[in-house]
């Protein structure tokens, strides 16, 4: 079972204590307060720079930064493979991490041609691309993938403060999984991981969050044909999925889900 797999993984790879901070709190229970220690997830700012200008600013869990940068660039429509980025240089000081990205020449020339100096790139702007046809997916595969997603949320289990994203090939076979304080950061990180592992095999992405237009837009730019979440989509998220040919699923729970767009990919 997927849960047993992740339980064994958790024993081999416990929660990274650099990702959490121990704090003293007062807990109200059974009619009174008591002082206990709790764990909260860390977050720190990150900027992505290239060719002398800032492309993005975010606050993220400080780990897997290279994967976040690679995934952000993919979801912003700047790159399509890890080969499009020659180097990512990280510099941290004063509580801020700055990632300097050296793109391949064809990406640099396109950025120079299409972007005005000082312009801050917004993910998913411009024409909406069309995702690939993908393949048909059994409803039972969705439920199995959901179990893997939940079992892999070690930071959420430790803190209650993390979102999770996972990309699956057929089977379902897990290609990559990532957690972060922000749903969009978790998505960027998992896309960055999957680009190195062969994102072309990905047939679906699962999210532990609601599916707003930013999340859907990023998944569209990553070329994923199916996006499912445990919570609700927004109207613009549904519109983007319909326009791009993506199958969008919300309220993915044990034994049930809501199917919003392009239902032909799902079989019972």
């Amino acid at each position: 079972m997927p849960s047993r797999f992740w339980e064994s993984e958790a024993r081999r790879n416990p929660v990274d204590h650099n990702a959490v901070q121990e704090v003293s709190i007062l807990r109200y229970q059974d009619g009174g307060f008591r002082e206990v220690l709790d764990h909260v997830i860390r977050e720190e700012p990150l900027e992505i720079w290239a060719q002398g200008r800032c492309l993005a600013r975010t606050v993220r869990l400080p780990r897997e930064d290279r994967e976040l940068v690679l995934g952000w660039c993919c979801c912003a429509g700047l790159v399509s493979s890890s080969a499009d980025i020659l180097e990512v240089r990280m510099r941290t000081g004063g509580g801020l991490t700055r990632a300097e990205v050296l793109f391949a020449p064809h990406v640099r020339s396109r950025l120079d041609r299409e972007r005005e100096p000082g312009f801050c790139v917004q993910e998913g702007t411009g024409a909406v691309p069309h995702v690939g046809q993908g393949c048909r997916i059994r409803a039972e595969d969705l439920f199995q993938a959901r179990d893997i997603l939940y079992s892999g949320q070690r930071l959420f289990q430790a803190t209650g403060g993390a979102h999770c994203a996972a990309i699956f090939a057929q089977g379902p076979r897990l290609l990559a999984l990532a957690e972060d304080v922000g749903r969009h950061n978790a998505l960027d990180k998992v896309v960055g991981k999957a680009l190195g592992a062969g994102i072309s095999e990905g047939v679906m992405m699962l999210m532990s969050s609601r599916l707003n237009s930013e999340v859907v837009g990023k998944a569209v730019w990553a070329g994923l044909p199916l996006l499912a979440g445990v919570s609700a989509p927004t109207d613009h998220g549904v519109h983007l999925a319909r326009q791009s040919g993506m199958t969008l699923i919300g309220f993915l729970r044990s034994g049930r889900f809501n199917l919003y767009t392009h239902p032909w990919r799902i079989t019972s």
Side-chain angles (χ1 to χ4, degrees):
M1 293 293 292
S3 59
R4 291 188 186 136
F5 166 78
W6 275 108
E7 286 167 7
S8 63
E9 286 294 295
R11 284 193 292 271
R12 288 196 297 269
N13 301 294
V15 171
D16 178 5
H17 290 287
N18 292 323
V20 298
Q21 179 70 41
E22 192 173 67
V23 296
S24 177
I25 67 168
L26 291 176
R27 176 169 295 158
Y28 184 84
Q29 190 173 0
D30 299 327
F33 287 100
R34 62 188 179 97
E35 186 174 356
V36 298
L37 292 176
D38 194 17
H39 290 93
V40 295
I41 195 166
R42 293 178 57 206
E43 60 175 356
E44 294 178 3
L46 169 75
E47 293 182 347
I48 302 173
W49 284 72
Q51 294 166 241
R53 59 184 184 267
C54 181
L55 303 183
R57 298 180 180 90
T58 189
V59 177
R60 92 294 184 209
L61 170 69
R63 69 178 191 184
E64 298 172 335
D65 284 339
R66 188 184 186 282
E67 289 81 1
L68 189 157
V69 171
L70 182 59
W72 185 91
C73 291
C74 176
C75 293
L78 299 179
V79 305
S80 58
S81 75
S82 57
D84 292 332
I85 294 180
L86 303 181
E87 187 178 2
V88 179
R89 299 171 183 169
M90 297 291 180
R91 185 177 64 194
T92 299
L96 171 69
T97 297
R98 177 166 166 167
E100 294 275 358
V101 184
L102 177 61
F103 290 109
H106 68 280
V107 180
R108 293 204 301 270
S109 63
R110 183 161 59 86
L111 271 176
D112 288 337
R113 189 169 60 249
E114 296 179 358
R115 309 293 185 186
E116 293 295 328
F119 184 81
C120 188
V121 175
Q122 299 297 315
E123 299 95 321
T125 56
V128 177
H130 201 274
V131 300
Q133 184 172 340
C135 60
R136 294 185 181 273
I137 297 170
R138 299 181 308 146
E140 182 59 34
D141 289 345
L142 283 167
F143 300 135
Q144 289 184 26
R146 175 187 174 275
D147 289 343
I148 295 173
L149 179 80
Y150 271 106
S151 298
Q153 293 181 261
R154 290 192 289 272
L155 276 176
F156 178 81
Q157 292 160 9
T159 66
H163 285 290
C164 187
I167 295 177
F168 295 86
Q170 281 186 283
R173 177 169 57 88
L174 181 65
L175 291 178
L177 182 145
E179 288 185 276
D180 199 276
V181 291
R183 64 178 67 87
H184 55 289
N185 291 336
L187 193 157
D188 287 339
K189 285 181 177 181
V190 81
V191 169
K193 287 182 174 183
L195 277 177
I199 196 171
S200 60
E201 297 182 62
V203 297
M204 59 179 165
M205 174 186 285
L206 265 62
M207 298 285 300
S208 66
S209 66
R210 70 180 184 273
L211 306 172
N212 62 10
S213 57
E214 181 184 25
V215 166
V216 175
K218 282 176 173 289
V220 167
W221 279 96
L224 294 161
L226 186 150
L227 174 64
V230 302
S231 190
T234 63
D235 63 335
H236 195 204
V238 173
H239 172 73
L240 283 176
R242 183 178 296 116
Q243 188 178 4
S244 66
M246 171 185 282
T247 297
L248 187 65
I249 291 172
F251 296 103
L252 178 59
R253 310 290 167 79
S254 179
R256 66 182 177 89
F257 55 81
N258 290 351
L259 182 49
Y260 292 88
T261 61
H262 301 284
W264 63 267
R265 287 192 181 92
I266 305 302
T267 63
S268 58

